[in-house]
Short mmCIF file of all heavy atoms in Angstrom, two decimals:
data_model
loop_
_atom_site.label_atom_id
_atom_site.label_comp_id
_atom_site.label_asym_id
_atom_site.label_seq_id
_atom_site.Cartn_x
_atom_site.Cartn_y
_atom_site.Cartn_z
N PRO A 122 -28.25 5.93 24.42
CA PRO A 122 -27.40 7.10 24.66
C PRO A 122 -25.92 6.83 24.44
O PRO A 122 -25.41 5.75 24.72
CB PRO A 122 -27.68 7.44 26.13
CG PRO A 122 -28.17 6.16 26.73
CD PRO A 122 -28.90 5.44 25.65
N THR A 123 -25.24 7.84 23.90
CA THR A 123 -23.79 7.83 23.71
C THR A 123 -23.29 9.23 24.06
O THR A 123 -24.08 10.16 24.20
CB THR A 123 -23.42 7.52 22.24
OG1 THR A 123 -23.86 8.62 21.42
CG2 THR A 123 -24.06 6.23 21.75
N PRO A 124 -21.98 9.40 24.22
CA PRO A 124 -21.47 10.75 24.48
C PRO A 124 -21.90 11.75 23.41
O PRO A 124 -22.12 12.92 23.69
CB PRO A 124 -19.96 10.54 24.48
CG PRO A 124 -19.77 9.13 24.94
CD PRO A 124 -20.91 8.38 24.31
N ARG A 125 -22.05 11.29 22.17
CA ARG A 125 -22.43 12.20 21.07
C ARG A 125 -23.88 12.64 21.18
O ARG A 125 -24.20 13.81 21.00
CB ARG A 125 -22.20 11.52 19.73
CG ARG A 125 -22.56 12.40 18.53
CD ARG A 125 -22.69 11.57 17.27
NE ARG A 125 -22.80 12.40 16.07
CZ ARG A 125 -23.23 11.95 14.89
NH1 ARG A 125 -23.59 10.70 14.76
NH2 ARG A 125 -23.28 12.74 13.85
N ASN A 126 -24.79 11.70 21.47
CA ASN A 126 -26.21 12.01 21.36
C ASN A 126 -26.90 12.27 22.69
O ASN A 126 -28.12 12.43 22.73
CB ASN A 126 -26.94 10.87 20.63
CG ASN A 126 -26.99 9.58 21.44
OD1 ASN A 126 -26.92 9.57 22.66
ND2 ASN A 126 -27.10 8.46 20.74
N ARG A 127 -26.16 12.32 23.79
CA ARG A 127 -26.81 12.39 25.10
C ARG A 127 -27.72 13.62 25.24
O ARG A 127 -28.69 13.59 26.01
CB ARG A 127 -25.77 12.39 26.21
CG ARG A 127 -24.85 13.60 26.24
CD ARG A 127 -23.84 13.48 27.38
NE ARG A 127 -22.98 14.65 27.46
CZ ARG A 127 -21.85 14.78 26.80
NH1 ARG A 127 -21.44 13.81 25.98
NH2 ARG A 127 -21.12 15.87 26.92
N VAL A 128 -27.45 14.69 24.49
CA VAL A 128 -28.30 15.88 24.55
C VAL A 128 -29.72 15.55 24.10
O VAL A 128 -30.70 16.13 24.58
CB VAL A 128 -27.70 17.01 23.69
CG1 VAL A 128 -28.64 18.21 23.62
CG2 VAL A 128 -26.35 17.43 24.24
N MET A 129 -29.86 14.59 23.19
CA MET A 129 -31.18 14.24 22.66
C MET A 129 -32.10 13.65 23.72
O MET A 129 -33.32 13.58 23.52
CB MET A 129 -31.05 13.24 21.51
CG MET A 129 -30.51 13.82 20.22
SD MET A 129 -30.51 12.60 18.87
CE MET A 129 -32.26 12.35 18.60
N PHE A 130 -31.56 13.20 24.84
CA PHE A 130 -32.36 12.57 25.88
C PHE A 130 -32.92 13.58 26.87
O PHE A 130 -33.47 13.21 27.90
CB PHE A 130 -31.54 11.50 26.58
CG PHE A 130 -31.32 10.28 25.71
CD1 PHE A 130 -30.30 10.26 24.76
CD2 PHE A 130 -32.14 9.17 25.82
CE1 PHE A 130 -30.11 9.15 23.95
CE2 PHE A 130 -31.96 8.06 25.01
CZ PHE A 130 -30.93 8.05 24.07
N GLY A 131 -32.80 14.85 26.59
CA GLY A 131 -33.43 15.88 27.41
C GLY A 131 -32.44 16.79 28.09
O GLY A 131 -31.24 16.49 28.14
N PRO A 132 -32.97 17.91 28.56
CA PRO A 132 -34.37 18.33 28.53
C PRO A 132 -34.79 18.90 27.17
O PRO A 132 -33.95 19.29 26.36
CB PRO A 132 -34.45 19.40 29.61
CG PRO A 132 -33.07 19.98 29.65
CD PRO A 132 -32.14 18.84 29.36
N ALA A 133 -36.11 18.92 26.98
CA ALA A 133 -36.66 19.47 25.74
C ALA A 133 -36.37 20.97 25.65
O ALA A 133 -36.21 21.65 26.66
CB ALA A 133 -38.17 19.24 25.69
N GLY A 134 -36.27 21.45 24.41
CA GLY A 134 -36.00 22.87 24.19
C GLY A 134 -34.53 23.20 24.11
O GLY A 134 -34.17 24.36 23.88
N HIS A 135 -33.66 22.20 24.29
CA HIS A 135 -32.23 22.42 24.15
C HIS A 135 -31.79 22.15 22.71
O HIS A 135 -32.54 21.57 21.92
CB HIS A 135 -31.44 21.56 25.14
CG HIS A 135 -31.43 22.13 26.52
ND1 HIS A 135 -32.58 22.44 27.20
CD2 HIS A 135 -30.41 22.45 27.35
CE1 HIS A 135 -32.27 22.93 28.39
NE2 HIS A 135 -30.96 22.96 28.51
N VAL A 136 -30.59 22.55 22.41
CA VAL A 136 -30.06 22.43 21.05
C VAL A 136 -29.13 21.23 20.96
O VAL A 136 -28.25 21.05 21.81
CB VAL A 136 -29.29 23.71 20.64
CG1 VAL A 136 -28.82 23.62 19.19
CG2 VAL A 136 -30.16 24.94 20.84
N TYR A 137 -29.34 20.41 19.96
CA TYR A 137 -28.43 19.30 19.65
C TYR A 137 -27.73 19.62 18.34
O TYR A 137 -28.36 19.73 17.29
CB TYR A 137 -29.21 17.99 19.54
CG TYR A 137 -28.42 16.83 18.98
CD1 TYR A 137 -27.15 16.52 19.46
CD2 TYR A 137 -28.94 16.03 17.97
CE1 TYR A 137 -26.42 15.46 18.95
CE2 TYR A 137 -28.23 14.96 17.45
CZ TYR A 137 -26.97 14.67 17.94
OH TYR A 137 -26.25 13.62 17.43
N VAL A 138 -26.42 19.81 18.43
CA VAL A 138 -25.61 20.16 17.26
C VAL A 138 -24.68 18.99 16.95
O VAL A 138 -24.07 18.41 17.84
CB VAL A 138 -24.78 21.43 17.52
CG1 VAL A 138 -23.85 21.72 16.36
CG2 VAL A 138 -25.70 22.62 17.74
N TYR A 139 -24.57 18.65 15.67
CA TYR A 139 -23.64 17.59 15.28
C TYR A 139 -22.92 17.97 14.00
O TYR A 139 -23.38 18.81 13.23
CB TYR A 139 -24.37 16.25 15.13
CG TYR A 139 -25.40 16.19 14.04
CD1 TYR A 139 -25.05 15.84 12.74
CD2 TYR A 139 -26.75 16.46 14.30
CE1 TYR A 139 -25.99 15.79 11.73
CE2 TYR A 139 -27.70 16.41 13.30
CZ TYR A 139 -27.31 16.06 12.01
OH TYR A 139 -28.26 16.02 11.02
N PHE A 140 -21.78 17.32 13.79
CA PHE A 140 -20.92 17.57 12.64
C PHE A 140 -21.17 16.48 11.61
O PHE A 140 -21.26 15.29 11.95
CB PHE A 140 -19.47 17.54 13.11
CG PHE A 140 -18.52 18.35 12.27
CD1 PHE A 140 -18.82 19.64 11.88
CD2 PHE A 140 -17.29 17.82 11.91
CE1 PHE A 140 -17.94 20.39 11.13
CE2 PHE A 140 -16.40 18.57 11.16
CZ PHE A 140 -16.72 19.85 10.78
N VAL A 141 -21.29 16.85 10.35
CA VAL A 141 -21.59 15.88 9.31
C VAL A 141 -20.63 16.05 8.14
O VAL A 141 -20.24 17.17 7.80
CB VAL A 141 -23.06 16.01 8.85
CG1 VAL A 141 -23.31 17.36 8.20
CG2 VAL A 141 -23.47 14.89 7.92
N PHE A 142 -20.25 14.93 7.54
CA PHE A 142 -19.36 14.91 6.38
C PHE A 142 -18.01 15.57 6.67
O PHE A 142 -17.30 15.99 5.74
CB PHE A 142 -20.00 15.58 5.16
CG PHE A 142 -21.29 14.94 4.73
CD1 PHE A 142 -22.40 15.70 4.43
CD2 PHE A 142 -21.40 13.56 4.63
CE1 PHE A 142 -23.58 15.12 4.02
CE2 PHE A 142 -22.58 12.96 4.23
CZ PHE A 142 -23.67 13.74 3.92
N GLY A 143 -17.66 15.69 7.94
CA GLY A 143 -16.38 16.27 8.30
C GLY A 143 -16.23 17.74 7.96
O GLY A 143 -15.12 18.27 7.98
N MET A 144 -17.37 18.44 7.70
CA MET A 144 -17.24 19.83 7.29
C MET A 144 -18.43 20.71 7.65
O MET A 144 -18.31 21.93 7.58
CB MET A 144 -17.00 19.91 5.78
CG MET A 144 -18.11 19.28 4.95
SD MET A 144 -17.70 19.10 3.18
CE MET A 144 -17.37 20.78 2.72
N HIS A 145 -19.58 20.15 8.04
CA HIS A 145 -20.77 20.97 8.27
C HIS A 145 -21.36 20.71 9.66
O HIS A 145 -21.39 19.57 10.12
CB HIS A 145 -21.86 20.67 7.23
CG HIS A 145 -21.46 20.96 5.83
ND1 HIS A 145 -21.02 22.21 5.41
CD2 HIS A 145 -21.44 20.17 4.72
CE1 HIS A 145 -20.76 22.17 4.11
NE2 HIS A 145 -21.00 20.95 3.68
N TRP A 146 -21.89 21.77 10.28
CA TRP A 146 -22.67 21.65 11.49
C TRP A 146 -24.15 21.65 11.13
O TRP A 146 -24.57 22.35 10.21
CB TRP A 146 -22.39 22.79 12.45
CG TRP A 146 -20.99 22.81 13.01
CD1 TRP A 146 -19.97 23.62 12.63
CD2 TRP A 146 -20.49 21.98 14.05
NE1 TRP A 146 -18.84 23.33 13.36
CE2 TRP A 146 -19.13 22.33 14.24
CE3 TRP A 146 -21.05 20.95 14.84
CZ2 TRP A 146 -18.32 21.70 15.19
CZ3 TRP A 146 -20.24 20.33 15.77
CH2 TRP A 146 -18.90 20.70 15.95
N CYS A 147 -24.94 20.86 11.86
CA CYS A 147 -26.39 20.87 11.73
C CYS A 147 -26.99 21.03 13.12
O CYS A 147 -26.41 20.57 14.12
CB CYS A 147 -26.90 19.57 11.10
SG CYS A 147 -26.36 19.31 9.40
N ALA A 148 -28.15 21.68 13.21
CA ALA A 148 -28.75 21.97 14.51
C ALA A 148 -30.15 21.39 14.60
O ALA A 148 -30.92 21.38 13.63
CB ALA A 148 -28.80 23.48 14.73
N ASN A 149 -30.48 20.90 15.79
CA ASN A 149 -31.77 20.31 16.09
C ASN A 149 -32.32 20.90 17.38
O ASN A 149 -31.55 21.32 18.25
CB ASN A 149 -31.65 18.80 16.31
CG ASN A 149 -31.01 18.06 15.17
OD1 ASN A 149 -31.66 17.37 14.41
ND2 ASN A 149 -29.68 18.18 15.04
N ILE A 150 -33.64 20.89 17.51
CA ILE A 150 -34.28 21.23 18.76
C ILE A 150 -34.73 19.94 19.43
O ILE A 150 -35.47 19.15 18.85
CB ILE A 150 -35.50 22.15 18.54
CG1 ILE A 150 -35.07 23.45 17.83
CG2 ILE A 150 -36.18 22.46 19.87
CD1 ILE A 150 -34.09 24.29 18.61
N VAL A 151 -34.24 19.71 20.64
CA VAL A 151 -34.58 18.49 21.38
C VAL A 151 -36.03 18.58 21.86
O VAL A 151 -36.49 19.64 22.29
CB VAL A 151 -33.63 18.31 22.58
CG1 VAL A 151 -34.05 17.13 23.44
CG2 VAL A 151 -32.19 18.13 22.09
#
Side-chain angles (χ1 to χ4, degrees):
T123 67
R125 180 196 190 196
N126 68 26
R127 65 181 182 271
V128 174
M129 287 185 68
F130 288 82
H135 281 55
V136 184
Y137 169 47
V138 175
Y139 64 87
F140 206 46
V141 64
F142 301 134
M144 59 191 301
H145 299 303
W146 294 103
C147 295
N149 305 254
I150 301 298
V151 174

